[in-house]
Amino acid sequence: MVEGSSQGAVATVLVTGAAGQLGRAVVEAAETRGLTVHGLGREQLPVEEPAACARVLDDLRPDLVIHCGAWTDVDGCEADPERAERVNGQGTANLAVACRDRGIRLCAVSTDYVFAGEVGEARRPLREDDPVGPASVYGRSKLHGERAVLEAAPERGFHVVRTAWVFGPGGKNFPAAILNRARQGLPLKVVDDQVGSPTLTLDLAEALLDLGCADALSGIWHAANEGSLSWHDFAIAICRAAGVHADIGRQSSAELGRPAPRPAWSVLDCSKLARLRGRPLPAWDDALQRHLAAEDALRAAAAVREGNGGTDT
Ligand SMILES: NC(=O)c1ccc[n+]([C@@H]2O[C@H](COP(=O)([O-])OP(=O)(O)OC[C@H]3O[C@@H](n4cnc5c(N)ncnc54)[C@H](OP(=O)(O)O)[C@@H]3O)[C@@H](O)[C@H]2O)c1
């Protein structure tokens, strides 16, 4: 819990995008804190429908909404800008207006993709007030969502939380993709010209709850695990930590040729949030160890379930 926090004012939390990798972690972390939690997926709360936002908030009366729902298929967004805008831009705006009208706090998750992502001469972590300039449809749609949150914001309790390179247990994410290929002995080539901070859902969930429960001035916050490296170096670290041998080749973003441009520099300065919480998020390598341990536990639990399935019949 953070200094000066008033979790007492927050008893009920609503999580959007609750079937996603971050949404699941927020639901679990909030339950562990003893909060009443409503984790809603896209079917229960499609944020692009203003009437659905209003109805759900009236029915459930949360004190805090943590908005994890988004269309996160970055290349898909490039091909369908209207859907990206509808979900990430207008959807976030709908939720912000509905929360403001009911005096409900809001933490809306955003992304490093709102920055142009050029390495720049300074090569320093990006601060909350650094100029934005998204290069992709996804980044622009998320920026529109950010602006809507800030426009609707009362003095306190409305937050945009930018994060980056999110991974977590049970999710479709970079460590899962790398280990899947490495364990099958398939060739691996990973880009070495994008640098960022891998961020564990479990750590981010705690930060979001701390912020949402604190009586903080509305604004933008950066939240990522400490430290930074390239995707190529992260792939090597993942295989090493998992004890899987793999030869991991390098390639440039241009060689990979994805439809949407990715930021070359995604390192976020998270000191504002660290001051609020009294500590930074843990280092990415510590986060990776805990992620792999959690994945092992999930696999073991699934094996037990399958074993039981065999004996129950
Ligand atoms: N993943 C990253 O590396 C990363 C980096 C920076 C920021 N972020 C941000 O972090 C947040 C969580 O991302 P994540 O990694 O947990 O992504 P995720 O696993 O794709 O989860 C997003 C969830 O949002 C749901 N959703 C999609 N359209 C929706 C709609 N119209 N209304 C309500 N919910 C909808 C999705 O449901 P369906 O699966 O049914 O579509 C999904 O369950 C997002 O705001 C994302 O922009 C992610």
Side-chain angles (χ1 to χ4, degrees), residues 109-288:
V109 182
S110 191
T111 169
D112 56 303
Y113 279 55
V114 298
F115 291 112
E118 288 147 7
V119 173
E121 280 177 21
R123 219 180 163 82
R124 61 158 176 79
L126 294 157
R127 292 192 289 259
E128 286 83 353
D129 57 359
D130 275 327
V132 290
S136 62
V137 169
Y138 169 74
R140 279 194 289 281
S141 69
K142 294 292 289 185
L143 182 62
H144 294 154
E146 286 193 0
R147 289 190 170 145
V149 170
L150 298 174
E151 270 164 31
E155 191 186 358
R156 292 178 175 276
F158 255 47
H159 307 292
V160 165
V161 182
R162 293 185 188 135
T163 189
W165 292 27
V166 176
F167 69 102
K172 275 192 210 157
N173 49 45
F174 185 75
I178 291 294
L179 287 175
N180 188 30
R181 284 188 75 85
R183 285 187 174 121
Q184 294 179 67
L186 294 169
L188 273 164
K189 262 187 162 187
V190 179
V191 294
D192 62 358
D193 56 1
Q194 296 171 26
V195 174
S197 305
T199 302
L200 179 62
T201 53
L202 310 178
D203 293 338
L204 182 57
E206 297 297 342
L208 287 165
L209 285 165
D210 282 350
L211 179 60
C213 292
D215 189 26
L217 286 175
S218 298
I220 304 176
W221 306 76
H222 286 176
N225 281 113
E226 284 287 291
S228 59
L229 74 176
S230 71
W231 286 118
H232 181 261
D233 288 342
F234 190 35
I236 292 172
I238 290 163
C239 290
R240 191 173 294 148
V244 177
H245 173 78
D247 291 322
I248 302 173
R250 296 170 177 274
Q251 67 180 344
S252 68
S253 303
E255 281 168 334
L256 183 58
R258 307 282 287 272
R262 269 68 175 168
W265 182 252
S266 289
V267 184
L268 301 176
D269 180 334
C270 303
S271 53
K272 180 183 170 192
L273 185 64
R275 280 195 298 279
L276 179 87
R277 300 178 76 216
R279 63 187 187 289
L281 268 72
W284 67 263
D285 48 350
D286 174 87
L288 175 61

Side-chain angles (χ1 to χ4, degrees), residues 75-98:
D75 292 327
C77 287
E78 211 64 20
D80 190 349
E82 279 171 21
R83 178 176 166 196
E85 185 54 35
R86 206 163 52 239
V87 176
N88 298 340
Q90 193 53 47
T92 302
N94 294 338
L95 207 53
V97 168

Side-chain angles (χ1 to χ4, degrees), residues 30-54:
E31 284 171 352
T32 303
R33 290 183 185 209
L35 298 167
T36 300
V37 188
H38 301 287
L40 304 186
R42 174 153 57 116
E43 290 73 25
Q44 297 134 311
L45 178 49
V47 292
E48 66 274 29
E49 293 176 20
C53 294

